[in-house]
Amino acid sequence: MTSPTGPWLRAYLVASRLIPLCAPALLRRRLSRGKELPHRWREKLGEPGLRRPDGRLIWLHAVGLGETLALRGLVAAMAVQTDADFLVTSTTRGSAEVLAANLPPRTRHQFLPLDAPGYLARFLDHWRPALSVWAEQDLWPGAVVAAAQRGIPLALVNARMNAAAFARRRRWQGLYADLFARFSLVAAQDSVTAAHLQALGAADVRVTGSLKAAVPPLAAEPGALAAARAALVGQQPVLLAASHPEDEAVTLAAFRAAKSRPLLLIAPRDPGRGPEIAARAAEHGLTVTRRSLGEGPTADIWVVDTLGEMGLWYRLCPTTLIGGSFGPTEGHNPWEAASLGSAILHGPRVANFTADFTTLHENGAAQSVSEGSLPAALLADHSAMATRAKALSDAAQGGLAPLATDLLALVVKPR
């Protein structure tokens, strides 16, 4: 099916023609605020920033940092079975910067153009993908329709949709049914998501688990790793809090209440929050140094407020408190820590990763903590739990071959 069939999709495609009226000004405003890369923002207007490689090209898209990094395992599994090259697109600056240090084989990154016909035509004319793979729950209607009109097979993988997300999308059921009719393969993380997708009009939804469980370990620059390891000598035990403000409030209170204090590393999701975290810690009577200022771990807390270095901290910290789990974010991916041997603690709110944490708990590979239990958990030995989590991650990384095979079976063969 290559033409819109319902009024909602037709209306969207008409309205999308207005995007170029405001897109350049909006992107320049974002550029002035540091939210776009100065040398790459025009990729969002469909202007290519790289030469297309010869031969077949497989295009995969994810929205932000976590979703983009989760695609790496799937790309690696596909790369074993094909000589094609890969293009990964995303929308956020952080995803581009971190992926640059963690690129899978034969892979390049571009920003997805805004969802206007002219931008998409420019993008597709240049890259000419043989397959379009979308991840999780972010579908751009214009891009989906444009790819289908060119005969490019479409697949949705790692789909995730909880009850709240389904409720928001249900009112647009006709739009989603039109989009899903264009997909040759739809794969969900869990049975709940599969049911939601089917209710929105997707057919033959398969359940393949989470790609994030199979994420390859994040890279770490060898020199930086050696320097950080040397700086942490004698500082054990070390706890990492990969955090949002709600997590920090709980962690700082628990840290102050602990009978003894390990070195605490706080890695904020937004590195620009370093000064705010330092001020909050001072309110608790705790001393702080910040990596972004060139300071080392010589205080109670080392705020590692730098981008793209989580591969360092997961390697060096025996225990990680997964962020977003004490607030409305509802958790983050625990498998990045697991794959590098860091034990997993988390708060009570992990709705976005229910299946992942269920698997970890069923195998004794994660521990849920509350504000009351966290002080004791900071000092406990979690090495056995870390070993079990890493074993699960290692097994998942070897389990992507069937999905990779099915995706490659959809690839348009060269004429």
Side-chain angles (χ1 to χ4, degrees), residues 290-307:
R290 291 172 50 203
R291 181 169 173 82
S292 66
L293 300 179
E295 298 169 343
T298 56
D300 295 321
I301 297 169
W302 192 19
V303 179
V304 287
D305 49 349
T306 49
L307 185 68

Side-chain angles (χ1 to χ4, degrees), residues 86-97:
F86 301 90
L87 172 70
V88 173
T89 60
S90 64
T91 59
T92 66
R93 174 174 178 164
S95 63
E97 292 176 321

Side-chain angles (χ1 to χ4, degrees), residues 23-283:
L26 174 62
L27 290 172
R28 288 191 180 94
R29 189 176 305 119
R30 287 176 54 84
L31 181 64
S32 69
R33 297 174 180 173
K35 294 184 177 181
E36 301 289 346
L37 289 172
H39 60 295
R40 293 187 57 187
W41 68 275
R42 296 191 68 86
E43 291 173 18
K44 294 190 175 182
L45 304 179
E47 298 181 9
L50 296 170
R51 183 188 69 84
R52 186 197 188 281
D54 296 332
R56 289 181 299 171
L57 181 80
I58 296 170
W59 164 35
L60 304 95
H61 174 73
V63 179
L65 176 57
E67 297 89 349
T68 303
L69 291 177
L71 288 175
R72 293 176 302 130
L74 181 60
V75 171
M78 296 172 75
V80 173
Q81 301 183 34
T82 180
D83 60 359
D85 285 83
F86 301 90
L87 172 70
V88 173
T89 60
S90 64
T91 59
T92 66
R93 174 174 178 164
S95 63
E97 292 176 321
V98 176
L99 184 64
N102 293 275
L103 281 172
R106 305 194 303 275
T107 301
R108 53 207 30 83
H109 174 271
Q110 294 278 273
F111 288 109
L112 183 68
L114 299 178
D115 211 31
Y119 301 159
L120 294 167
R122 192 179 299 160
F123 172 84
L124 293 172
D125 286 345
H126 177 77
W127 292 106
R128 305 187 311 280
L131 173 67
S132 175
V133 181
W134 293 71
E136 301 223 6
Q137 53 182 314
D138 186 67
L139 298 178
W140 290 36
V144 169
V145 170
Q149 287 176 338
R150 293 182 181 226
I152 301 168
L154 289 151
L156 174 64
V157 300
N158 209 38
R160 173 171 58 92
M161 189 177 296
N162 60 25
F166 172 65
R168 290 193 298 270
R169 287 162 174 77
R170 193 168 190 175
R171 68 188 67 178
W172 309 105
Q173 183 175 0
L175 171 63
Y176 281 98
D178 281 348
L179 294 178
F180 286 135
R182 292 163 167 80
F183 281 78
S184 301
L185 184 154
V186 178
Q189 293 187 21
D190 52 65
S191 57
V192 171
T193 293
H196 290 158
L197 294 175
Q198 288 170 336
L200 291 176
D204 300 323
V205 181
R206 64 182 70 182
V207 177
T208 57
S210 172
L211 290 185
K212 291 183 177 179
V215 63
L218 290 172
E221 198 279 318
L225 179 60
R229 180 176 281 119
L232 290 171
V233 170
Q235 297 278 11
Q236 301 292 340
V238 178
L239 173 77
L240 171 66
S243 62
H244 289 267
E246 300 86 358
D247 311 303
E248 292 152 11
V250 174
T251 304
L252 290 172
F255 189 70
R256 184 178 61 180
K259 294 181 179 179
S260 62
R261 291 177 180 169
L263 174 67
L264 173 63
L265 273 66
I266 296 181
R269 295 287 295 190
D270 176 5
R273 294 186 50 251
E276 174 192 338
I277 296 169
R280 287 193 174 197
E283 293 173 359

